[in-house]
Amino acid sequence: AQTVTQSQPEMSVQEAETVTLSCTYDTSESDYYLFWYKQPPSRQMILVIRQEAYKQQNATENRFSVNFQKAAKSFSLKISDSQLGDAAMYFCAYRSGFGNEKLTFGTGTRLTIIP
Amino acid sequence: EAQVTQNPRYLITVTGKKLTVTCSQNMNHEYMSWYRQDPGLGLRQIYYSMNVEVTDKGDVPEGYKVSRKEKRNFPLILESPSPNQTSLYFCASRPTRGSPLHFGNGTRLTVT
């Protein structure tokens, strides 16, 4: 079974600075997808960024980028120019390219932005 | 507006009183799924449905039922709720294989 590990329960960053959230996963599959979701206090689950395992290029969405290290099974999220609105719980998630496409989530990292 | 709608957003009930949490999507998605979120555990899949009349268990199906009689609706049924089912529940759907899930706004359930 696949597992996703987020080893940082809490992180904080000064506004306008850069922060990196860590995520590692374990799988024996070759076809899969990785995601970062943001959950603000409103508790909505908002997709931040997505990475297909077959793509070597790291995904980028505006201030958000990932460092995808396939051999190391690592998928970290970098947030540049942090803003107050980035404060949220961040979840890393794995999805197989086979079967029911279940999302396997990590336990989350709570990010605080310091004004 | 494309969305996944869950109702109710908050629900407090007592042990053993049957309840249903509704989920509806207006995007004609084939795939739908239910997750529960608990502190320190992330989100875990309860049930999923690949299409109408096709449902299957996820990782934590005990104590739950689902049905998929029509494409847009995927209700979650708790026949006899217990306190360990107190949780935050999310319904989600996706259009095509490989595409990201769209989540509803969540239902906070408390069972006393």
Side-chain angles (χ1 to χ4, degrees), chain A:
Chain A
Q2 293 78 28
T3 57
V4 177
T5 301
Q6 293 180 252
S7 58
Q8 306 153 316
E10 296 183 353
M11 292 279 286
S12 60
V13 63
Q14 208 79 32
E15 194 176 1
E17 295 295 308
T18 295
V19 64
T20 298
L21 308 185
S22 301
C23 173
T24 59
Y25 60 95
D26 188 27
T27 185
S28 58
E29 298 177 334
S30 57
D31 181 18
Y32 57 88
Y33 304 83
L34 297 164
F35 304 86
W36 279 97
Y37 281 89
K38 170 185 176 181
Q39 187 179 43
S42 66
R43 78 187 190 209
Q44 274 184 287
M45 291 295 288
I46 302 167
L47 177 67
V48 175
I49 203 163
R50 167 192 181 193
Q51 176 81 43
E52 291 90 343
Y54 64 86
K55 288 188 178 177
Q56 291 187 331
Q57 188 172 6
N58 289 324
T60 299
E61 287 287 342
N62 301 313
R63 296 182 296 107
F64 298 87
S65 61
V66 298
N67 183 5
F68 175 45
Q69 301 288 325
K70 191 171 182 179
K73 296 179 183 172
S74 170
F75 184 61
S76 60
L77 175 70
K78 184 171 86 170
I79 306 174
S80 303
D81 185 26
S82 298
Q83 300 175 359
L84 294 177
D86 295 334
M89 182 75 91
Y90 285 83
F91 290 97
C92 179
Y94 170 101
R95 190 172 84 197
S96 171
F98 309 97
N100 88 29
E101 296 192 42
K102 172 187 72 177
L103 275 174
T104 299
F105 285 85
T107 52
T109 296
R110 184 170 300 283
L111 179 64
T112 301
I113 311 296
I114 303 166

Side-chain angles (χ1 to χ4, degrees), chain B residues 22-76:
Chain B
T22 64
C23 174
S24 180
Q25 50 93 4
N26 61 0
M27 298 168 281
N28 202 37
H29 290 174
E30 290 184 348
Y31 179 96
M32 299 184 74
S33 185
W34 277 101
Y35 288 80
R36 61 177 287 175
Q37 181 181 358
D38 301 291
L41 295 176
L43 285 78
R44 295 174 293 167
Q45 190 187 55
I46 304 171
Y47 267 95
Y48 68 97
S49 170
M50 300 292 269
N51 212 328
V52 176
E53 300 291 3
V54 181
T55 63
D56 208 345
K57 297 175 181 178
D59 290 332
V60 288
E62 295 79 18
Y64 304 95
K65 284 176 55 177
V66 293
S67 69
R68 189 90 182 275
K69 293 186 171 62
E70 47 190 341
K71 186 179 273 192
R72 64 183 291 124
N73 295 323
F74 189 44
L76 180 69

